[in-house]
Amino acid sequence: MPSIFAYQSSEVDWCETNFQYSQLVAEFYNTFSNVTFLLFGPLMMFLMHPYAQKRSRYIYGVCILFMVIGLFSMYFHMTLSFLGQLLDELSILWLLASSYSIWMPRCYFPAFLGGKRALFIRLVMITTVVSTFLSFLRPTVNAYALNSIALHILYIVCQEYRKTSNKELRHLIEVSVVLWAFALTSWISDRFLCSFWQWIHFSYLHSIWHVLISITFPYAMVSMALVDASYEMPDQTLKVHYWPRDTWPVGLPYVEILGADKNC
């Protein structure tokens, strides 16, 4: 039985040709495409600092987990090891759990929790711990289970999109959903249409998934911050800005808290 640290000990292998450019890196493009996680994570921590100070410092933890995903994903695609696969998948699981804990609107809590966020966080953490242990049983299905969580997030996003008349929030949700759809299409294409992509010598769809999903994260994060503010910070006004400049056609979103009173 191969060691969990051993190269190619994972049952998961993506479409990119292994060891094409280096005997140390199994999937070259899939490995180094994760650099966007390491760039956007610290940048979002800096940009969202005023919001985190006002709302919750746990938001820094979400950004750190985002960077950890990038590091573990690099390790996994570099080695295709079983340990790398689990670290990659579990870091995503815990990022989702942390985001649920901070931003899930109380109106979507199970009724038996009585709208209490502390109880909801305990429920999320217990579920996440159980899911962590279950992930060792059938590792090949972990990625599909994680992607299925996106359907619940998409449901909540659609519900909030229908409720709001905030043009900034609607725009952020639209961009987030489009980016996520393109990212998921890349992931599915790499997984199930590998023979076609290899036939045309373009087996890099999974690396495109990395880049697109890392760009989706800031948009989704700011979208949920605006949704959360309408429930948890009704006396505050949040203004969306884009780094590096608002006037540029492309940029990373973040929020500024103006502190103006609003009518509930």
Side-chain angles (χ1 to χ4, degrees), residues 10 17 33 46 49 78 99 134 162 244:
S10 171
T17 303
S33 58
F46 171 74
H49 173 73
M78 183 178 72
S99 299
L134 291 176
R162 293 191 185 100

Side-chain angles (χ1 to χ4, degrees), residues 178-190:
V178 169
L179 286 171
W180 171 78
F182 277 117
L184 186 61
T185 300
S186 298
W187 189 91
I188 293 173
S189 297
D190 188 273

Side-chain angles (χ1 to χ4, degrees), residues 92-107:
I92 297 172
L93 174 65
W94 282 91
L95 172 69
L96 291 172
S98 300
S99 299
Y100 265 76
S101 299
I102 296 171
W103 288 303
M104 178 64 70
R106 296 174 192 267
C107 59

Side-chain angles (χ1 to χ4, degrees), residues 48-223:
M48 296 291 283
H49 173 73
Y51 169 76
Q53 292 292 310
K54 194 76 174 180
R55 176 65 178 92
S56 172
R57 295 186 181 182
Y58 288 118
I59 291 163
Y60 299 132
V62 172
C63 293
I64 291 171
L65 281 170
F66 182 70
M67 291 183 281
V68 169
I69 289 172
L71 288 172
F72 285 161
S73 183
M74 290 182 77
Y75 172 61
F76 168 50
H77 289 289
M78 183 178 72
T79 63
L80 294 178
S81 65
F82 179 68
L83 177 64
Q85 177 196 339
L86 287 179
L87 290 175
D88 181 21
E89 293 164 348
L90 292 178
S91 60
I92 297 172
L93 174 65
W94 282 91
L95 172 69
L96 291 172
S98 300
S99 299
Y100 265 76
S101 299
I102 296 171
W103 288 303
M104 178 64 70
R106 296 174 192 267
C107 59
Y108 299 104
F109 288 5
F112 66 86
L113 296 180
K116 296 179 180 178
R117 186 167 296 276
L119 293 179
F120 177 72
I121 292 174
R122 291 176 190 174
L123 177 62
V124 170
M125 291 298 110
I126 291 171
T127 303
T128 306
V129 170
V130 172
S131 299
T132 298
F133 286 104
L134 291 176
S135 66
F136 289 84
L137 300 181
R138 294 290 298 276
T140 54
V141 304
N142 290 345
Y144 302 100
L146 288 170
N147 274 305
S148 68
I149 298 174
L151 298 177
H152 183 249
I153 297 173
L154 183 62
Y155 165 77
I156 293 175
V157 165
C158 290
Q159 292 294 106
E160 293 300 322
Y161 184 83
R162 293 191 185 100
K163 290 179 183 179
T164 187
S165 59
N166 185 324
K167 292 182 178 180
E168 289 182 328
L169 176 56
R170 291 176 73 91
H171 172 72
L172 285 166
I173 290 175
E174 289 166 358
V175 174
S176 299
V177 171
V178 169
L179 286 171
W180 171 78
F182 277 117
L184 186 61
T185 300
S186 298
W187 189 91
I188 293 173
S189 297
D190 188 273
R191 182 82 283 177
F192 296 106
L193 300 175
C194 181
S195 57
F196 169 76
W197 297 114
Q198 289 183 337
W199 178 58
I200 65 172
H201 304 289
F202 189 80
S203 53
Y204 312 113
L205 271 294
H206 194 77
S207 61
I208 294 175
W209 149 265
H210 287 156
V211 175
L212 288 176
I213 206 66
S214 66
I215 298 172
T216 304
F217 171 76
Y219 281 88
M221 183 179 186
V222 174
S223 297

